[in-house]
Amino acid sequence: MLEVFRQFALDLKASGINLTILYDAFDFERFVSGLMTTCALIVICTLFSILIGGAGAAVLALSRGPAAMLVRAYVALIRNTPLLVQMYFFYFAVGSLMPVGQNAIGLPVPMIGNFTWAVIALSLYAGAFNIETFRSGLGAVHNSYEEAALALGYSRFKAFRYVVVPLGLRFSFASLANNLVDLTKSTTVAYAIGVAELLYVSNQIWSDSLNTFEMMNVMLAIYLLLTGIVVWIIGRVQAAMSLPGFGAN
Amino acid sequence: MRSATQDGALVSLRGVRKAFGSIEVLRGVDLNVAKGQVVAIIGPSGSGKSTILRTINGLTPVDHGVITVGDITVTDPRVDKVALRHRVGMVFQQYNLFPHKTVLENVAMAPIQVLGEPRRQVEERAKDLLAGMRLPEKALSYPGELSGGQQQRVAIARALCMQPEVILFDEVTAALDPEMVKEVLSAVRKVAEDGMTCILVTHEMRFAREAANRIYFTDKGVIVEQGEPKAFFENPRDPRTIEFLDKVL
């Protein structure tokens, strides 16, 4: 089977389309490792950004004090500055303040690697947008539901937990899908701090094989596929949580 | 077991005043409801009827005056809200069932989650109540799959499942199609005939006359006139009552 692919790729090459990743083992491995790194960034940052979004929106919904002000300041800062600048800020500015370890032969090794910084920057970035998404989803829940819960003896927190959150979540999916598609595409910014994700390894490949045109097309196709998967998954979750007669769908 | 106030009232309002911003909605309301009594509050829109109900279970805090339910002082800032709402149930104009919970869960969740009663026991009670509301086959449906009249009967069962001493009915037929009004009114009537203390805000004059044993007429935030249904409807004394009854009867 693989041999068939390889032969097909070689035939393509003969006709002028040079997809080294399909017939050259070294390029194939680089490419797969880049793809895996990109997928890892997407999955890990999606989870953290949803946690941040949920926690931030809960703080905004339940508190009026300094905690809410802090969340609002964080959201404003992240949403109004470029992701690339944030990424550099974490890697170069904050990273330079972090303790540095040593490896076996005495060379300095940072305690927090570039992959971790990328995760931090991307999670905080998408998390800020998710806070806004969940906040507006919660805001879309008519307060008559909370009132009904209060009239049944629920505390404000319990009403939030058992009634407002489950309903607000259902108002959040469309906007959440938007944010996570954006996050998926934004993982390419990790290239800037040397994370060997898909764009990074593809650049290596086209630099070596001078097949820029082919690799650019591969990039577009792969990211289209990845965002498609993200949207499909959220669509499945949304469908599974849809409610008869409830207007959020 | 529970001591009533000196004058034997289960629910008592004394000089209750409430303003929303500069608008005075309640301008000194006095009201007594004895155990087992069915009280109807009628009056023009904006006369403060619903606000009176909402002050009784503490959903709307008052500016002045004292409200007691049994031995609970509602207007005490440190009032035990769970105990109060255990004792005072409420049914809303828009039903306010929780759309993400089945009918059975809607009825049973508060006694389980708020009062900590054993699930099995509560669900038995909930099923009995649904049968009493002639909805036993709808237990596993979602509210969105029910007609308005059916939803409102579920809401009545939900209030009953908390085993309150008094239930507040806030214009429970105002959002219903005419043919559903009847089924809900007969459900309310059944609750009243079973001995539940009921306070109804309603626009259904005939129902008020037939089901209530005391009528209060409110206008511009005060109780203008009160009396036995027969006397009230046949010989109203206050010019405002006469004018109102002329319009609606």
Side-chain angles (χ1 to χ4, degrees), chain A residues 144-145 147-154 158 162-163 166-167 170 243-246, chain B residues 54 57 59 82 85 92 96-100 109-110 113-114 142 144-145 158 162:
Chain A
S144 60
Y145 294 114
E147 208 159 63
L150 295 179
L152 285 164
Y154 284 77
K158 269 190 163 178
Y162 290 110
V163 176
L167 297 178
R170 289 164 164 96
L243 295 169
F246 187 65
Chain B
R54 296 165 55 86
N57 70 348
L59 276 184
V82 173
R85 283 156 188 176
F92 298 87
N96 300 2
L97 295 178
F98 305 127
H100 60 303
M109 64 193 275
Q113 292 178 337
V114 175
Y142 283 89
E145 297 166 320
R158 180 172 71 175
M162 287 289 278

Side-chain angles (χ1 to χ4, degrees), chain B residues 32-40 192-193 195-200 207-216 226-232:
Chain B
N32 277 322
V33 183
K35 194 163 178 53
Q37 216 179 12
V38 177
V39 165
E193 282 167 3
M196 177 64 66
T197 310
C198 297
I199 308 178
L200 322 152
F207 178 73
R209 182 171 183 166
E210 290 167 7
N213 32 47
R214 190 136 198 105
I215 311 283
Y216 284 81
Q226 53 166 304
E228 306 282 314
K230 191 167 155 47
F232 177 88

Side-chain angles (χ1 to χ4, degrees), chain B residues 153-218:
Chain B
R153 282 184 282 147
V154 174
I156 294 171
R158 180 172 71 175
L160 285 169
C161 202
M162 287 289 278
Q163 301 184 304
E165 288 180 53
V166 51
I167 298 185
L168 314 170
F169 293 90
D170 188 6
E171 301 192 30
V172 292
T173 57
L176 295 172
D177 293 335
E179 70 263 36
M180 291 171 186
V181 169
K182 213 170 159 189
E183 64 180 61
V184 169
L185 289 184
S186 62
V188 175
R189 193 150 193 176
K190 183 171 170 296
V191 173
E193 282 167 3
D194 288 346
M196 177 64 66
T197 310
C198 297
I199 308 178
L200 322 152
V201 164
T202 185
H203 290 296
E204 302 284 334
M205 293 305 145
R206 227 183 74 190
F207 178 73
R209 182 171 183 166
E210 290 167 7
N213 32 47
R214 190 136 198 105
I215 311 283
Y216 284 81
F217 174 71
T218 59

Side-chain angles (χ1 to χ4, degrees), chain B residues 233-245:
Chain B
F233 283 105
E234 287 173 11
N235 296 306
R237 291 184 307 274
D238 193 280
R240 279 179 289 177
T241 318
I242 296 167
E243 190 195 341
F244 176 75
L245 290 177

Side-chain angles (χ1 to χ4, degrees), chain B residues 101-114:
Chain B
K101 297 285 179 185
T102 65
V103 164
L104 183 67
E105 288 169 332
N106 261 281
V107 177
M109 64 193 275
I112 296 169
Q113 292 178 337
V114 175

Side-chain angles (χ1 to χ4, degrees), chain A residues 32-240:
Chain A
V32 169
S33 122
L35 181 60
M36 287 303 117
T37 303
T38 288
C39 289
L41 279 175
I42 294 170
V43 171
I44 297 170
C45 297
T46 292
L47 292 178
F48 279 123
S49 74
I50 288 175
L51 289 178
I52 292 170
V59 168
L60 290 180
L62 293 170
S63 126
R64 302 269 174 279
M69 272 174 61
L70 214 62
V71 171
R72 273 197 293 272
Y74 152 64
V75 171
L77 178 70
I78 297 287
R79 290 215 308 172
N80 297 301
T81 54
L83 173 59
L84 183 58
V85 174
Q86 294 165 16
M87 190 80 78
Y88 278 160
F89 173 78
F90 280 109
Y91 187 63
F92 293 115
V94 185
S96 68
L97 303 174
M98 290 289 152
V100 176
Q102 282 194 335
N103 69 3
I105 55 168
L107 290 172
V109 176
M111 301 289 267
I112 299 177
N114 50 3
F115 180 83
T116 310
W117 280 122
V119 167
I120 291 170
L122 286 167
S123 300
L124 288 173
Y125 169 76
F129 285 87
N130 286 349
I131 288 175
E132 282 298 285
T133 286
F134 291 136
R135 187 193 58 76
S136 69
L138 294 172
V141 178
H142 198 275
N143 70 357
S144 60
Y145 294 114
E146 185 190 7
E147 208 159 63
L150 295 179
L152 285 164
Y154 284 77
S155 63
R156 249 190 100 213
F157 179 77
K158 269 190 163 178
F160 181 72
R161 154 89 179 71
Y162 290 110
V163 176
V164 180
V165 168
L167 297 178
L169 198 57
R170 289 164 164 96
F171 285 115
S172 306
F173 285 119
S175 172
L176 182 65
N178 217 6
N179 294 349
L180 296 183
V181 163
D182 184 45
L183 169 64
T184 301
K185 296 184 293 183
S186 299
T187 55
T188 49
V189 177
Y191 180 9
I193 59 169
V195 176
E197 45 71 66
L198 198 55
L199 182 61
Y200 182 101
V201 296
S202 298
N203 189 347
Q204 288 184 323
I205 291 168
W206 77 60
S207 300
D208 290 350
S209 308
L210 302 176
N211 56 350
T212 316
F213 180 79
E214 290 86 339
M215 287 312 293
M216 284 299 173
N217 280 289
V218 169
M219 288 286 92
L220 290 179
I222 295 260
Y223 280 105
L224 204 55
L225 182 70
L226 289 175
T227 53
I229 293 170
V230 169
V231 170
W232 183 79
I233 291 173
I234 293 178
R236 299 306 304 161
V237 176
Q238 182 173 13

